[in-house]
Amino acid sequence: MSLMEKLTADMKEAMKQGEKERLSVIRLVRGAVRQAEIDGKKTLTDDEVIGVISKEVKMRRDSIEEFARGKRDDLVAKTKAEIDLLMPYLPAQLSVDEVKKIVADVVAEVGAETAKDMGKVMGVLMPRVKGRADGKLINEIVRDHLK
């Protein structure tokens, strides 16, 4: 079963169970996937769908920071719940230690020594961890490693 088929099946299940929040989040993600398909004029592969879902999760994480600054605890809780609903559709997330090991391997592989080499490292690293780690976390670890 493709990821898009799973989203559709879960959407139908959420309708039957009357789970309004889950249904809303799945509809939003399916809409984002459909928009990406329309923009690209092609059907997305599972990897591309994971990319869309990762983007949705990232947007929600960024929103949480803004809501917290604005002291909107109700929106923070709602957005965290949405992220929790989206995470099962993404591959298992890497731990910080796993990301650090992958970063060290890539740094050694490309021969990076200073922060100026960050672009080379990120170019090789991001496809390896796509959808399995937060980009902000990866960026911080690479910066720390290249100091």
Side-chain angles (χ1 to χ4, degrees), residues 8 17-18 32 46 57-58 62 83 86 99 105 110 115 131-132 134 137 139-140 142:
T8 303
Q17 300 297 326
D46 277 354
V57 169
K58 181 186 181 321
D62 293 343
I83 290 172
L86 291 175
V99 173
D105 293 346
V110 299
R132 299 186 304 150
D134 181 43
L137 171 70
N139 192 311
E140 290 172 11
V142 171

Side-chain angles (χ1 to χ4, degrees), residues 46-60:
D46 277 354
D47 283 343
E48 292 167 326
V49 172
I50 287 171
V52 172
I53 295 171
S54 295
K55 184 177 174 185
E56 291 292 317
V57 169
K58 181 186 181 321
M59 287 186 338
R60 283 166 174 78

